[in-house]
Amino acid sequence: MNILILQASPRANGNTAWMAEEYKNAAEAAGHQVTLVNVSRKKIAGCLACEYCHKGGTHDADNIEGGHQGNGACIQKDDMQELYPLMAQAEVLVLAAPIYYFTLCAQIQAPIQRMYCVNAPAKVKKMALLVSSYSPGVYTGATAEYHDICNYWHAEDSGIVTAKVDEQKTDETKAKIEALVKNL
């Protein structure tokens, strides 16, 4: 399977980055094609809600009739342009994000929300979530958002691994990540 991992931690050697690498290693060992992108190092702006993408190249958001009619191209030309082709080919999408304040971090939000221009990744059939936090019990918002994304994109939830401070970079967490890959 073609797997895309969007890793959103700005800490290159942090806990979320470790989780993403462990998923990548297990998936490659199982014979999958894996691309890991550190989206926190990319310049990806939020959606402008200009509706350019849905109206074939015009900016007048007040003149939309019938919803998504445009060419699906975003007017913004930033690092998201690198992700659109990867998202279009991915069969499995893994979101790896730290929890800073009760939900998925801003670094993962921007690329997810910029998918608005195409509505949903064309081939994604399965998704997984890897989240880490210093505190226990802060995953409710992130997991609810993840489930909403899975539902909207008609993607199967292949699992979630959470790791609070005493579970980070442990053999137990690594085993949970490897179990996610076996579910593919």
Side-chain angles (χ1 to χ4, degrees):
M1 297 187 96
N2 186 340
I3 301 171
L4 175 61
I5 303 171
L6 299 182
Q7 194 284 109
S9 175
R11 295 174 53 219
N13 296 313
N15 301 308
T16 303
W18 176 83
M19 293 173 80
E21 282 292 332
E22 290 300 323
Y23 192 102
K24 180 181 185 282
N25 294 340
E28 287 176 338
H32 300 287
Q33 178 184 335
V34 183
T35 302
L36 190 153
V37 178
N38 184 342
V39 294
S40 74
R41 300 281 186 244
K42 302 290 182 186
K43 298 292 183 198
I44 302 173
C47 177
L48 297 174
C50 69
E51 296 298 335
Y52 176 90
C53 57
H54 296 144
K55 297 184 309 108
T58 63
H59 296 281
D60 187 5
D62 295 328
N63 286 330
I64 293 181
E65 295 178 20
H68 298 359
Q69 298 180 33
N71 60 9
C74 182
I75 194 168
Q76 298 184 82
K77 303 303 179 216
D78 57 11
D79 290 344
M80 189 63 192
Q81 300 307 310
E82 299 170 28
L83 291 185
Y84 287 128
L86 297 173
M87 294 285 277
Q89 294 303 311
E91 298 168 287
V92 177
L93 178 62
V94 179
L95 304 178
I99 305 290
Y100 297 134
Y101 208 72
F102 303 104
T103 191
L104 296 173
C105 67
Q107 292 89 337
I108 200 83
Q109 291 285 345
I112 291 168
Q113 292 178 11
R114 286 283 294 282
M115 290 303 292
Y116 175 69
C117 68
V118 294
N119 196 39
K123 296 181 181 179
V124 168
K125 300 296 179 224
K126 295 183 178 196
M127 291 181 64
L129 178 65
L130 309 173
V131 288
S132 65
S133 176
Y134 183 80
S135 303
V138 297
Y139 303 112
T140 306
T143 56
E145 181 177 7
Y146 163 74
H147 284 122
D148 286 345
I149 295 165
C150 288
N151 290 336
Y152 187 76
W153 286 352
H154 304 289
E156 177 186 330
D157 169 16
S158 66
I160 298 171
V161 174
T162 63
K164 62 183 182 3
V165 68
D166 61 339
E167 299 169 328
Q168 295 168 353
K169 298 182 181 180
T170 65
D171 289 339
E172 181 181 332
T173 298
K174 181 178 178 178
K176 289 177 184 178
I177 293 167
E178 291 170 346
L180 284 185
V181 173
K182 289 179 185 174
N183 284 338
L184 296 177

